[in-house]
């Protein structure tokens, strides 16, 4: 119940900030895709999802929302687009290093969170780039 309330609050805040149902969908779609694919990869790899995987998925949404929001904004110039993409890649690599190391932990809690966020962070960036506004990538804006 509280999870649904939290998700609804996030959607309402995005609506208040972005003021467009299309933009809210463009921001949320990569996050939903990253969570679903990460969960699928974990289940298909033989993991039984635990509360720690769910905590990791919340972190995926938190990290991925930053990527998605950056891809949603219009960059005023090509140089700004390049800087933004480079910054997002750098942020993703540092996230991967931090949580990727946790995935090698022998402590189950740390392993589960690290593995989940490691996989999810890469997917969140990839889905944000694929599903986000074309303007940032240098193409046409939808």
């Amino acid at each position: 119940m509280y999870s649904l309330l939290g998700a609804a609050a996030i959607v309402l805040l995005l609506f208040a900030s972005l003021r467009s149902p299309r933009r809210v969908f463009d921001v949320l779609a990569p996050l939903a895709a990253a969570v679903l694919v990460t969960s699928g990869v974990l289940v298909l790899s033989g993991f039984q999802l635990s509360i720690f995987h769910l905590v990791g998925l919340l972190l995926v949404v938190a990290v991925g929302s930053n990527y998605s929001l950056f891809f949603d904004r219009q960059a005023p110039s090509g140089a700004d687009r390049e800087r933004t993409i480079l910054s997002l890649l750098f942020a993703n690599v540092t996230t991967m290093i931090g949580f990727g190391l946790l995935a090698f932990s022998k402590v189950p809690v740390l392993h589960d969170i690290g593995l989940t966020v490691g996989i999810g962070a890469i997917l969140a960036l990839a889905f944000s780039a694929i599903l986000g506004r074309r303007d940032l990538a240098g193409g046409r804006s939808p």
Side-chain angles (χ1 to χ4, degrees):
M1 178 66 171
Y2 290 121
S3 298
L4 290 175
L5 289 174
I10 290 170
V11 171
L12 288 174
L13 287 171
L14 283 171
F15 268 114
S17 175
L18 300 176
R19 300 175 191 212
S20 164
R22 174 67 183 177
R23 287 183 68 198
V24 170
F25 177 80
D26 288 346
V27 168
L28 291 176
L31 303 177
V35 167
L36 290 173
V37 173
T38 300
S39 299
V41 166
L42 291 170
V43 169
L44 291 174
S45 297
F47 290 96
Q48 184 175 2
L49 296 183
S50 69
I51 189 71
F52 304 115
H53 291 104
L54 297 178
V55 169
L57 290 172
L58 287 173
L59 288 168
V60 169
V61 170
V63 169
S65 65
N66 292 321
Y67 301 149
S68 191
L69 286 167
F70 273 106
F71 274 102
D72 179 67
R73 77 176 186 91
Q74 288 184 347
S77 70
D80 285 339
R81 278 192 297 272
E82 290 174 13
R83 254 192 317 272
T84 299
I85 291 171
L86 185 62
S87 298
L88 291 174
L89 288 172
F90 184 73
N92 188 260
V93 167
T94 58
T95 300
M96 283 305 305
I97 290 170
F99 285 99
L101 288 173
L102 289 178
F104 291 106
S105 175
K106 293 191 188 306
V107 178
V109 173
L110 298 177
H111 170 77
D112 292 350
I113 292 173
L115 185 64
T116 304
V117 178
I119 294 168
I122 289 174
L123 290 172
L125 181 63
F127 285 129
S128 294
I130 293 167
L131 300 174
R133 292 174 65 106
R134 301 282 181 248
D135 179 57
L136 186 62
R140 286 184 285 126
S141 179

